[in-house]
Amino acid sequence: MANFVERRAFNIIGIFDGLEDYLNTGDPVVREWFLVKSNFWPIFLVGLYLLTIKVIGPSFMRDRKPFELRKTMIIYNLFLVATYFACVSLVIYGMTKSDPMAMCKDTVVTKKDYTYLMATCGWVIYLLKYLEFLDTIFFILRKKRQAYHKSPCHSPCLTSTLWLIFFRTERSGFQAYPIIINSVIHIVMYSYYGLAAMGPSVRKYLWWKRYLTIAQMVQFILIILFVTVVMPLTGCSAAKTSIYINVVAAALFLFCSIISIDIPSNRKS
C-alpha cells in the first residue's frame, strides 16, 4: 500500500514537472517578460478578479447607488482602441519588413530585427486582456450585473490564460495573423462602447451595433479556417497547443456568439 501511494505521488509530481517543462518551450526571450515568466502573478490576478466579481464587488455595491462612470468608461474604451490600433499597425508594419514564410517557422525573437517589435506588440495586447477585467467590474459598479450574465461569450479569465499558454509555448510567428484578426474586432467593439458611453446624442448614430456579434462570429470562423486550412497549405509550423487552443476556443466562442445573437448588448448597456 505504501509503495502504491508513493508511486501515485511520484506520477502526479512527474505530470506537473512535465507540464512545467512544456510551458517553458516557447521563445526564451519572451518567456522572461512580465506576466509570462511568473506562474504566480497570472493566477493571482485571475483569482483576485474572480473574488472581486463574485464577493467583493457585489458586497460593496449591495446598499449603494450605481456609479455613473461615464467619463471613466469613455477614457477606458478609447485607450483600448488606441492601444490595439497602435499594436496592430506595428505588427503589420513588422510583417511587411519580414519574410512571411520565415514567420511561419520556429523563429528567434531578437532586438536585431522586427521579430522583437512584433512580439512586444503581441505582449502588450496580452497585457490588455488583464486590463479588460475592468469590463465586468464596471458592470458591477453600475449595477448592470444581470446584463453581464446574459453574455456567455465574455470570459476574460479564459482569454488571459490562453494567451499566457501561447506566450509560454509558441515559437512560430504564425500567431500574428489570429492576433491581428482578434485585435481588429476589439478596435471596432471598443470604439462602439466608447462612443456609446458619450450619451444618447451619439448613440443614435450607432446603427451598426447589431453587427458587432456578427463581426465576432466572422472572426472566429476566419481563425478556424486560418489554422486548419491556410496554415497547413502554406507549410507553416506551430506548437500543437496553439493549434488546439485556436480551434477549440474559436469554436466555443462561435457557439456562444450564435446562442447570444439576439442579446441587445454583449458587453455593456
Side-chain angles (χ1 to χ4, degrees):
M1 181 66 179
N3 290 335
F4 174 77
V5 173
E6 289 178 1
R7 286 197 301 270
R8 288 293 300 273
F10 179 79
N11 289 337
I12 293 174
I13 293 173
I15 291 173
F16 279 103
D17 287 342
L19 179 62
E20 179 67 23
D21 290 340
Y22 181 73
L23 290 176
N24 287 318
T25 56
D27 187 272
V29 174
V30 176
R31 289 203 317 264
E32 295 297 314
W33 292 350
F34 177 62
L35 288 182
V36 178
K37 179 179 180 180
S38 171
N39 292 324
F40 170 76
W41 286 110
I43 295 174
F44 172 79
L45 291 175
V46 168
L48 181 62
Y49 165 76
L50 292 174
L51 182 64
T52 300
I53 67 171
K54 297 295 185 181
V55 180
I56 298 176
S59 297
F60 177 76
M61 292 301 299
R62 182 173 296 116
D63 300 318
R64 288 180 169 83
K65 294 181 179 180
F67 289 88
E68 182 184 358
L69 299 178
R70 187 172 68 88
K71 293 182 179 179
T72 301
M73 292 177 62
I74 292 173
I75 295 172
Y76 166 76
N77 285 295
L78 296 185
F79 170 79
L80 288 174
V81 170
T83 307
Y84 270 114
F85 181 81
C87 289
V88 169
S89 299
L90 290 172
V91 169
I92 294 175
Y93 173 75
M95 292 172 67
T96 62
K97 300 295 183 178
S98 306
D99 180 1
M101 293 309 301
M103 286 182 58
C104 285
K105 303 294 183 181
D106 287 349
T107 57
V108 177
V109 174
T110 171
K111 292 183 178 180
K112 295 180 180 180
D113 57 37
Y114 289 97
T115 56
Y116 194 87
L117 172 65
M118 291 186 285
T120 301
C121 290
W123 173 69
V124 171
I125 293 174
Y126 163 60
L127 297 183
L128 291 181
K129 303 307 176 184
Y130 292 96
L131 182 61
E132 289 173 20
F133 286 179
L134 290 175
D135 282 10
T136 317
I137 295 173
F138 287 152
F139 265 114
I140 295 172
L141 293 177
R142 296 167 61 224
K143 289 198 170 182
K144 300 287 186 178
R145 188 172 174 79
Q146 185 61 35
Y148 165 74
H149 283 311
K150 290 180 181 179
S151 174
C153 298
H154 185 64
S155 181
C157 294
L158 175 60
T159 303
S160 61
T161 301
L162 295 180
W163 276 71
L164 173 62
I165 296 173
F166 279 137
F167 275 95
R168 291 286 291 269
T169 61
E170 186 58 77
R171 283 179 172 269
S172 170
F174 99 101
Q175 192 60 29
Y177 297 95
I179 285 175
I180 290 174
I181 296 172
N182 179 259
S183 296
V184 168
I185 296 300
H186 277 73
I187 291 171
V188 176
M189 287 197 309
Y190 284 111
S191 294
Y192 168 79
Y193 300 135
L195 293 170
M198 294 180 182
S201 61
V202 175
R203 286 192 197 124
K204 63 183 179 180
Y205 297 108
L206 302 179
W207 52 266
W208 41 276
K209 170 183 177 180
R210 69 185 69 181
Y211 299 108
L212 288 178
T213 300
I214 297 175
Q216 289 176 320
M217 294 167 63
V218 172
Q219 165 201 193
F220 302 135
I221 293 172
L222 290 176
I223 290 175
I224 292 173
L225 289 176
F226 177 81
V227 174
T228 59
V229 179
V230 177
M231 194 181 72
L233 289 177
T234 56
C236 292
S237 63
K240 289 184 178 180
T241 311
S242 299
I243 298 173
Y244 295 150
I245 287 177
N246 271 296
V247 173
V248 174
L252 174 62
F253 292 146
L254 175 61
F255 173 76
C256 288
S257 296
I258 291 173
I259 65 175
S260 64
I261 195 168
D262 292 328
I263 296 174
S265 177
N266 271 1
R267 301 289 289 276
K268 296 179 175 68
S269 61

